[in-house]
Amino acid sequence: MPEYIVRELDIHEKDINNNIISFLEEAFGKDIDLSKIIRNTYTRNGKTLYLGAFHNERLVAFNCFMAFEFQFNNKTVYAHQSCWAGTSPQYRKKGLFSLLYDEAKRILLDRGSAFIWGAGNSQSQPILINKLGFRKIEMVKVEIPAAFGGKFFIDHYLKKLTQGAGVKVKDAFLPNEAEVMELKLGEFGEEVRIHDRYNNILWGKIKHKEKFGLKLKYLAVGGMVVNKPHLLHILFKEIAAKEKIDYFQIVANKTNTYLHNFLHVRPAANTEALVIYDLAMDTTNANFNFFIGIKDVF
Amino acid sequence: MKNLIKKSIYSFYPKDSLKPYKLKLGYIFHTEQIYDDTYFSWLLEFCSTYYEITGARAICAIIPPTNYLLAQSLKEAGFSESNFVSRLRDIEKVATLGYHGHFYNSKTPKAEFAIHCNSFQLKPLIEQVEADLNWFRKHNIDHNGIYSGGWWFMNAFLADMLITNGFRFDYTFSRAPYFFNLFSDQIMSENQVRIGESFYLESGKGKMLCIQNFIGAHATPYVEDFDRNLKNLFSPENENGLNVGVINSHDYDLDLKNTLKCIRHLVTDAGAEFFSHDGLRALSEQQARKTALLDLNK
Ligand SMILES: [Zn+2]
């Protein structure tokens, strides 16, 4: 495909905006503008990568790789989440998606990124796994009833742990939740709910769902930090009382070590699996303490 | 109603239940809001009365104004740095100063952005510790090589940094459930350090004597609450040998009347002896048999 040129986009650079904007409208719809994408993807570490494929100087395919900071065995590492993949309709099925990924792998490895991850959808996941070498980690969920201030159920869903258990994070990638929360606060403001008690932190968004003919209010948990697991139940009860929710919904990949705090964890069949491609680190045996809130679409 | 029940239950509770434990105690403040006239006057009054009762000086581990939250609070209160320094000079007359650190993963100083074991990032920690210690140097305030951690946070990197910067005494470790810290818990478990047993933490650059925190200071009229809570932490082992440690409060949540009542009770009924930092240090040096080695690669 010699006629395509892949290059990094400086998304803050003014002179390429018109080119990008018309492409974005075509690829993602009229209501998407550049500032929305920046608010959604530009994390404060400044390492987010925006890649474009050009044909005759015209942007025809785009992919973003959001940079996140992690704690891994007390060291700081960066890894990138693939998102905002789009191709102009007349350029689809020409391998541009793979072309962008190949270039991203090269650039990000060069910059020391630990791995690329994503969720993909029913179309992209088979390509990521079968063609681009990603591996898959299944998702799980736990829904904790929280009515009546969580008085009756929370203790049945949180394990009774001794003080040191439930916070073991050896070989686990812990997102810098401060960075994730700041990104989401910048995009959604007060829609993002953040609670903390005794150095345990839990954040998410209030959502509604019809279930059994009832309109239920729940907290979709975006992420958490557990430092005092034996006191985690106090935080859950406080949130239940303050937010007046019917339940908590926690969705995570199955290697998330914080899940050891919970009972009744079951497969989340309807949630796209996490897919991982190793760059600077071999993450085969690592744990990923990601919750659903780290996704660009949360 | 609850108080009436307590009163009648405690009329049967022995006043001297802590007597078998040979308590050697000190008092430490996490001194955070001395710009507030009321809290500041309570603090001074407490320290003077405490000295009259026990012959010991309290320790005031202070947050320097380089701390993001304190800087914000001082600004809001219109309280100048020179006033702050002059209040420290007043505290120094009745208590021993130390350093109390609270570190953030964000410039927004909120508890949800706290640096803790599982939300740890080295770079912002280094920046904030250095700024704090420069402040002590610049204003010629002696922290006496004493540290006590905010949110009870400690890990190998912080300990190493403290030792490198000449800190020789730490009051962060604890076995109390609310003061739990993953690193402290691991260090004490691996080295079989019991509650009330001082020990050393050693890096390549020196060692630091760690004196434990027992529980929070007392803030109800029922001193028996304190006895019961402390006794719950003890095992039969604690009846042999010394139990050295501090009790603590913040300046802003000090219950002047009830805490002093409890201290009188401990002296009179429990045979507890109170010590200044120097006394605690001497006892701990005698007592400490164990040295935990810091491993920055774990
Ligand atoms: Zn504090």
Side-chain angles (χ1 to χ4, degrees), chain A residues 10-273:
Chain A
D10 180 351
I11 202 154
H12 300 288
E13 200 179 286
K14 289 227 160 42
D15 59 357
I16 53 170
N17 279 5
N18 284 340
N19 189 2
I20 297 179
I21 288 163
S22 56
F23 164 82
L24 295 176
E25 283 180 353
E26 194 186 20
F28 303 116
K30 281 273 180 220
D31 52 338
I32 296 299
D33 64 12
L34 196 59
S35 69
K36 156 86 183 156
I37 297 185
I38 292 174
R39 267 183 285 127
N40 183 256
T41 58
Y42 195 71
T43 47
R44 67 183 190 188
N45 63 64
K47 295 179 196 288
T48 293
L49 172 69
Y50 303 91
L51 273 187
F54 291 82
H55 185 238
N56 297 333
E57 291 298 304
R58 189 175 150 225
L59 182 62
V60 294
F62 175 82
N63 210 314
C64 169
F65 298 87
M66 283 168 86
F68 285 94
E69 192 173 67
F70 295 90
Q71 173 191 353
F72 184 80
N73 293 338
N74 282 328
K75 304 277 187 301
T76 298
V77 297
Y78 294 91
H80 287 78
Q81 176 183 182
S82 166
C83 54
W84 288 93
T87 307
S88 289
Q90 64 269 41
Y91 289 88
R92 286 184 191 150
K93 301 210 192 299
K94 292 182 192 294
L96 288 175
F97 182 74
S98 302
L99 191 67
L100 286 169
Y101 266 81
D102 288 342
E103 186 61 5
K105 286 175 184 173
R106 193 190 63 75
I107 295 174
L108 294 177
L109 178 61
D110 192 49
R111 293 179 188 175
S113 175
F115 56 90
I116 301 175
W117 90 94
N121 51 33
S122 53
Q123 287 171 359
S124 63
Q125 265 213 5
I127 305 173
L128 290 168
I129 291 164
N130 302 325
K131 259 187 87 183
L132 295 171
F134 280 70
R135 73 177 196 278
K136 188 162 140 178
I137 302 175
E138 298 300 337
M139 301 294 283
V140 293
K141 71 172 173 180
V142 51
E143 287 180 341
I144 305 175
F148 311 107
K151 278 190 187 76
F152 305 109
F153 295 102
I154 285 170
D155 288 333
H156 296 282
Y157 281 77
L158 264 68
K159 286 185 199 162
K160 303 239 174 333
L161 293 167
T162 53
Q163 293 190 9
V167 279
K168 297 280 192 273
V169 294
K170 191 172 157 30
D171 299 331
F173 288 95
L174 302 176
N176 181 348
E177 290 295 339
E179 180 177 76
V180 186
M181 287 186 279
E182 279 190 356
L183 181 76
K184 297 297 177 185
L185 283 169
E187 187 175 4
F188 299 106
E190 284 180 5
E191 226 183 293
V192 178
R193 318 296 298 173
I194 302 177
H195 295 274
D196 75 281
R197 182 62 67 196
Y198 303 120
N199 310 121
N200 296 319
I201 300 155
L202 195 138
W203 69 274
K205 281 181 174 175
I206 299 290
K207 295 190 174 178
H208 296 88
K209 193 177 192 173
E210 289 261 328
K211 235 181 181 178
F212 321 115
L214 296 167
K215 207 169 178 219
L216 300 177
K217 180 181 171 188
Y218 68 100
L219 182 75
V221 173
M224 70 176 87
V225 181
V226 183
N227 281 302
K228 292 180 171 62
H230 54 294
L231 304 177
L232 192 58
H233 66 104
I234 300 173
L235 176 62
F236 272 83
K237 285 171 195 162
E238 282 184 2
I239 297 172
K242 268 191 214 155
E243 300 284 10
K244 299 190 171 54
I245 47 172
D246 296 299
Y247 64 100
F248 293 87
Q249 184 184 67
I250 300 171
V251 181
N253 77 89
K254 66 181 185 187
T255 69
N256 186 323
T257 66
Y258 286 151
L259 292 169
H260 296 310
N261 287 289
F262 301 97
L263 292 162
H264 312 298
V265 178
R266 55 198 167 85
N270 298 326
T271 310
E272 284 103 9

Side-chain angles (χ1 to χ4, degrees), chain B residues 5-16:
Chain B
I5 295 170
K6 261 195 178 172
K7 206 168 180 174
S8 63
I9 289 174
Y10 279 144
S11 63
F12 298 102
Y13 199 86
K15 285 245 175 292
D16 59 354

